[in-house]
Amino acid sequence: MAADSEPESEVFEITDFTTASEWERFISKVEEVLNDWKLIGNSLGKPLEKGVFTSGTWEEKSDEISFADFKFSVTHHYLVQESTDKEGKDEVLEDVIPQAMQDLLCMNNDFPPRAHCLVRWYGLREFVVIAPAANSDAVLSESKCNLLLSSVSIALGNTGCQVPLFVQIHHKWRRMYVGECQGPGVRTDFEMVHLRKVPNQYTHLSGLLDIFKSKIGCPLTPLPPVSIAIRFTYVLQDWQQYFWPQQPPDIDALVGGEVGGLEFGKLPFGACEDPISELHLATTWPHLTEGIIVDNDVYSDLDPIQAPHWSVRVRKADNPQCLLGDFVTEFFKICRRKESTDEILGRSTFEEEGREIADITHALSKLTEPAPVPIHKLSVSNMVHTAKKKIRKHRGVEESPLNNDVLNTILLFLFPDAASEKPLDGTSSTDNNNPPSESEEYNLYNQFKSAPSDSLTYKLALCLCMINFYHGGLKGVAHLWQEFVLEMRFRWENNFLIPGLASGPPDLRCCLLHQKLQMLNCCIERKKARDEGRKTNTSDNVTNTYPGDAGKAGDQLGPDNLKDMDKEKGEMGKSWDSWSDSEEEFFECLSDTEELKGNGQEGGKKGGPKEMANLKPEGRLIQHGKLTLLHNGEPLYIPVTQEPAPMTEDLLEEQSEVLAKLGTSAEGAHLRARMQSACLLSDMESFKAANPGCFLEDFVRWYSPRDYIEEETIDEKGNMVLKGELSARMKIPSNMWVEAWETAKPIPARRQRRLFDDTREAEKVLHYLAVQKPADLARHLLPCVIHAAVLKVKEEESLENISSVKKIIKQIISHSSKVLHFPNPEDKKLEEIIHQITNVEAIIARARSLKAKFGTERCEQEEEKEDLERFVSCLLEQPEVLVVGAGRGHAGRIIHKLFVNAQRAAAMAPAEEELKRTGSPEERRQNSVSDFPPPAGRELILRSTVPRPAPYSRALPQRMYSVLTREDFRLAGRMKVTGGDVWHAASGTAHTSTDVMTKIY
């Protein structure tokens, strides 16, 4: 048994050589990607048009593959072109070389200003790149490079793909690529050399021609002609005598009424530095042959003045400092601050003020005092006296963030009525220099939810923005806001209307702070009217007479102004201005109401219209056309009514929350209806007082005509008569209208309890303003600042007329209108808006800089001026602009002069030497100072069609691209051979800083 088990214990290792290796799997993945992208076979497109590499649309698609645990990204770059029909193509195009090889001889896109580096170096319209997926990874060893190139070659051969395929080697910053393209019987090797130090023999054309000829190794004698395309790039950095035209800001000019050289209250504009850092002039010789020109280390025929093609591009300064952008950005930073006004300025300035007004009964008692309220003369000293007195208690005068001169200037700008001897009357002041209210610029506040450009809120935002930037920063903002709040209280207590605010209820389209100020103005207006009415009543002892008011109201109200519950309550009855300044007064007590009880008021509940008919009518405004009361035929009069209480959006939101909390129960619904019917009840009482003996039907005919339905009927005598009745909703049992009518008593508006308590609302507004932190204030006013910035940008753009800027401004307005309508917009979105505004400012500054440098305003001929303006506009919008006429055109002569001035300044040459710069190129070359500096970049493209490697081989196009800069030298060659010839070429070369060449075979 032991002998039998001995053979079984032996183990034999079997190696399966049919299993795919990692290398084979990698090749399979490459082939799979090429098949998925349908890059198999020959695909010829139409010939390339001039400039299509820059103006055309480039697209790319990517995938990821791996070689063992090393990940690669595969990217397909291609120029979008019209697809061609592939049917029958294989039969017709069997022996045609690939598209990439045919494009070698195309000279329409030799030096594209904006394209992928491989497009510029090899002139390709389509290619695939395999590169390490991670930026930190790199293919550095020779063996790995060989392995990748072998994989590429096998994958192209197996799939029949004719699109060039590249592999990125070495570190990515070097942009080193090697690749291959295969076709029927031909192969192209893409080779590259990259050096940090430039060999002296390769700094000119003759040395590069030697490299090209040795590389192609043509066996023919003489060699076929070599076609040459050359481009030299000259860089202008010193703008000598063309200073940046932006005026520096004058900080000290604020006291004189100006800031930053601009009128006070307007935002500054422009860049503080030249937004154009460099001008690049590219001189091109597109079609040359080696026998025409000479360019070696001793002599060169390549004079930039004689170049047939000139093109210019400008290099923009990175993030130039712009005044408008800085203003808005610094103001936006306040939104992130957490300090309160008291913490910034010290002990509360409003502490003593709060003690004086703590007892609200004291404030209310002033309303019932018979003596008129004393009104002092309004002046700047009155504005700041109280605040200054209290601030000085806690800190020295020299510590105040704003001095008196600056503060007085700002307050006079915000409150121009303070400088006049005559106090402001019932109308708000407006600025005659503002745009008309129907203009698009004026109505931007609707979209931004800011404030009109002539309003106090808008001006306050500009002032705070400037104070934050120029005077005291956050402390200055807190100081000015404190003074502003004290001024608001001063105006409330002394019945001075706030200027720069539209009359009427708060405009819900504006920011909340603007609504609060409008609400305070409404309170001042009501309080002022009541005080004036009491004063008149005390002096004249005249009551219940208002013939003049009736006439005035008659102009305001007519049959078209009939009240409808479906309409806004702001249209109901006569406005406060038209009657509250009369001799009538409000009575908060119940004494008069109690007297009326015995005078027939209860008749409304017990069928008492007959008793009510005996009452004396009160509170009539005007007769309502030809309408009469249904039961007694008396004329129907429109009563004097109270206006609904004005409300800001936060009050409306609070009211909505309260009503929503009542729930959906019957009791909650009934309570909600009663809360909402306060104004209805007041109007019913006014209507009963003005029309004794009236019924609910009479009230509905005036208040809600659609709820009174009239039909033509035939009476007993056969006559056609109108018969009316209430609508179905008015006949619903327990209808709120019926309940309110039965509850209503004939009390004129002047004796009713006020729907709007101006004293309480004013104190609420003043408290709201006083507790605002600078960050809260900045949040409220930021829409106004953005609004002002957009208006400033539009104003400046109209002077330059840049089409691209117009489009960006429209995008800013659209974006801002969406963001700013939210109560608390995100900081990131606000930063995007500010960044867009800054970009537009920089574009306009660049346009002005270029116009100043090219002297568009100094052109005497209108045609030349238009050409220059068009040229400058193209420089802003296009990556590279062709100079019409090259160095002999109008723009070319200006560019030449710019370089000459810069060269003379660099060499400190006298101005007289400029006279020597005329004549032939040889004469100019003999001068001590050349017109142009040494080229910052030299680009050459060498082309030829030769058979390789044997004389009987197929003649194929060859190409080599060379670029030489001060610290970089690169050669990119495309060498072709026929597929049947045995030829081993360097398919990629790389050089280190020591110029050691590594060839990959």
Side-chain angles (χ1 to χ4, degrees), residues 359-370:
D359 188 2
I360 193 65
T361 59
H362 177 69
L364 291 174
S365 64
K366 292 183 179 181
L367 300 177
T368 57
E369 291 177 0

Side-chain angles (χ1 to χ4, degrees), residues 280-552:
H280 293 194
L281 170 65
T283 58
T284 308
W285 293 264
H287 307 293
L288 297 175
T289 56
E290 59 178 314
I292 293 180
I293 61 169
V294 176
D295 180 44
N296 52 39
D297 54 354
V298 178
Y299 176 82
S300 177
D301 287 330
L302 300 175
D303 184 4
I305 296 295
Q306 304 300 324
H309 291 168
W310 275 21
S311 56
V312 176
R313 69 169 69 189
V314 292
R315 183 177 178 182
K316 304 162 186 176
D318 296 332
N319 300 321
Q321 183 183 2
C322 297
L323 289 174
L324 180 61
D326 287 351
F327 263 55
V328 182
T329 301
E330 290 299 320
F331 188 78
F332 175 67
K333 290 180 181 178
I334 302 178
C335 299
R336 297 192 174 100
R337 302 299 294 264
K338 303 297 183 182
E339 304 92 333
S340 66
T341 304
D342 297 341
E343 292 172 347
I344 296 171
L345 298 179
R347 187 180 173 186
S348 176
T349 306
F350 298 97
E351 187 175 335
E352 297 180 13
E353 185 76 13
R355 292 198 191 109
E356 295 176 4
I357 62 172
D359 188 2
I360 193 65
T361 59
H362 177 69
L364 291 174
S365 64
K366 292 183 179 181
L367 300 177
T368 57
E369 291 177 0
V373 178
I375 300 178
H376 305 286
K377 179 182 175 182
L378 185 62
S379 65
V380 173
S381 60
N382 286 335
M383 293 180 191
V384 301
H385 174 72
T386 305
K388 281 296 178 184
K389 181 179 179 181
K390 293 173 182 176
I391 290 175
R392 288 192 187 110
K393 291 181 180 180
H394 309 296
R395 62 173 182 266
V397 179
E398 66 280 355
E399 297 176 2
S400 297
L402 298 177
N403 59 56
N404 282 335
D405 292 335
V406 173
L407 185 59
N408 290 344
T409 304
I410 296 173
L411 293 176
L412 280 175
F413 172 73
L414 295 176
F415 306 104
D417 59 327
S420 61
E421 295 292 333
K422 184 178 179 181
L424 193 68
D425 57 9
T427 59
S428 298
S429 63
T430 56
D431 189 353
N432 295 330
N433 296 325
N434 288 299
S437 59
E438 65 272 5
S439 67
E440 180 182 355
E441 288 78 7
Y442 184 88
N443 290 323
L444 269 180
Y445 76 91
N446 292 339
Q447 303 179 47
F448 289 179
K449 199 171 178 59
S450 58
S453 56
D454 58 351
S455 66
L456 173 65
T457 313
Y458 185 91
K459 294 178 181 178
L460 176 64
L462 296 184
C463 291
L464 290 173
C465 195
M466 290 187 175
I467 291 301
N468 176 60
F469 198 82
Y470 282 131
H471 292 274
L474 187 63
K475 284 190 175 182
V477 170
H479 186 186
L480 178 58
W481 177 243
Q482 221 172 42
E483 301 288 354
F484 183 86
V485 176
L486 290 172
E487 170 64 15
M488 292 299 101
R489 177 163 293 282
F490 175 83
R491 288 178 174 267
W492 158 247
E493 293 178 351
N494 294 277
N495 290 355
F496 288 119
L497 288 177
I498 305 171
L501 298 175
S503 59
D507 189 350
L508 301 182
R509 300 171 300 177
C510 299
C511 64
L512 181 58
L513 183 63
H514 186 78
Q515 297 177 39
K516 292 292 184 182
L517 295 179
Q518 284 185 305
M519 172 69 83
L520 182 59
N521 225 19
C522 290
C523 297
I524 296 173
E525 191 175 355
R526 301 283 179 96
K527 178 172 174 283
K528 180 180 178 181
R530 186 174 62 255
D531 291 345
E532 288 180 354
R534 184 182 297 110
K535 180 180 178 180
T536 306
N537 186 31
T538 304
S539 59
D540 297 339
N541 289 324
V542 179
T543 58
N544 297 332
T545 58
Y546 45 93
D549 290 334
K552 181 169 60 174

